[in-house]
Amino acid sequence: EAQVTQNPRYLITVTGKKLTVTCSQNMNHEYMSWYRQDPGLGLRQIYYSMNVEVTDKGDVPEGYKVSRKEKRNFPLILESPSPNQTSLYFCASSSNRVPANYGYTFGSGTRLTVV
Amino acid sequence: DAKTTQPNSMESNEEEPVHLPCNHSTISGTDYIHWYRQLPSQGPEYVIHGLTSNVNNRMASLAIAEDRKSSTLILHRATLRDAAVYYCALSGTYKYIFGTGTRLKVLA
């Protein structure tokens, strides 16, 4: 089944403890992206990647890092999480490296709580 | 970056058409208009997209204003399973900008 898989689905952590949220897609998609979803703010783009080893900032990149060493994987790294990064995170992919004229496939989400 | 504006919530009766509006007055000439819907506890799901012309698919229709400053997602016959949050989004070359969504309630 074609899908975007995020792990974990739920995570509670403490301030300052480094964590990684994994994202993997099995559709050979070129483009991948991370979003956070907060009440009243909708979905905001954190980082995106157009291809292996090519990444760029979205609208809210502060406090996050990403890497794209393989086409299928796009992990989101929080080096020193803070409570304001408590949110619902979604990974998404698109078949073309320029996604403007293509739809996204989203993962099921990771609910992160930083205490 | 261009921004989208949507009503917070709408209601519809089952089996009636639903028109969900989106304003995007600052859209650029190359931005595509996309619509997604999100069911509870799931990730957003692609519905439809277009650039200038109206578009139809099995899920919905997309009507785009002639000046492209607004668009409307049309669900032809709402069912209870259509109750969700609907997001309008604009996509430029690499960035996707989502609105805050409209929560659609479908009344039996």
Side-chain angles (χ1 to χ4, degrees), chain B residues 10-79:
Chain B
M10 292 184 64
E11 279 188 4
S12 173
N13 293 319
E14 198 176 10
E15 298 193 4
E16 289 187 358
V18 182
H19 290 235
L20 297 164
C22 182
N23 285 317
H24 29 78
S25 58
T26 57
I27 190 171
S28 74
T30 54
D31 285 343
Y32 282 81
I33 301 158
H34 294 250
W35 283 83
Y36 288 78
R37 73 176 186 181
Q38 186 174 22
L39 300 169
S41 301
Q42 294 188 24
E45 172 191 27
Y46 169 81
V47 177
I48 200 167
H49 78 282
L51 184 61
T52 56
S53 304
N54 295 344
V55 184
N56 300 298
N57 66 22
R58 63 174 180 80
M59 290 180 73
S61 295
L62 174 60
I64 300 172
E66 201 167 326
D67 63 6
R68 298 203 338 121
K69 293 186 176 182
S70 65
S71 62
T72 302
L73 179 70
I74 302 165
L75 307 179
H76 296 287
R77 286 182 69 220
T79 69

Side-chain angles (χ1 to χ4, degrees), chain A residues 9-87:
Chain A
R9 289 293 307 273
Y10 302 92
L11 179 60
I12 300 175
T13 190
V14 296
T15 299
K17 185 176 181 182
K18 181 180 178 180
L19 66 91
T20 300
V21 183
T22 64
C23 174
S24 180
Q25 49 92 5
N26 62 0
M27 297 166 283
N28 202 35
H29 280 179
E30 302 273 353
Y31 181 97
M32 298 183 75
S33 185
W34 276 101
Y35 285 84
R36 61 177 290 173
Q37 186 175 44
D38 302 289
L41 297 177
L43 289 147
R44 294 180 292 167
Q45 194 169 29
I46 302 171
Y47 270 96
Y48 58 90
S49 168
M50 304 80 94
N51 209 337
V52 175
E53 302 291 3
V54 183
T55 64
D56 206 348
K57 297 176 181 178
D59 294 319
V60 289
E62 295 78 21
Y64 304 96
K65 284 177 59 177
V66 292
S67 69
R68 187 96 181 270
K69 292 184 170 52
E70 306 165 281
K71 197 172 187 179
R72 64 183 292 127
N73 295 323
F74 190 46
L76 179 69
I77 303 156
L78 285 72
E79 296 260 350
S80 183
S82 63
N84 65 11
Q85 292 177 298
T86 292
S87 187

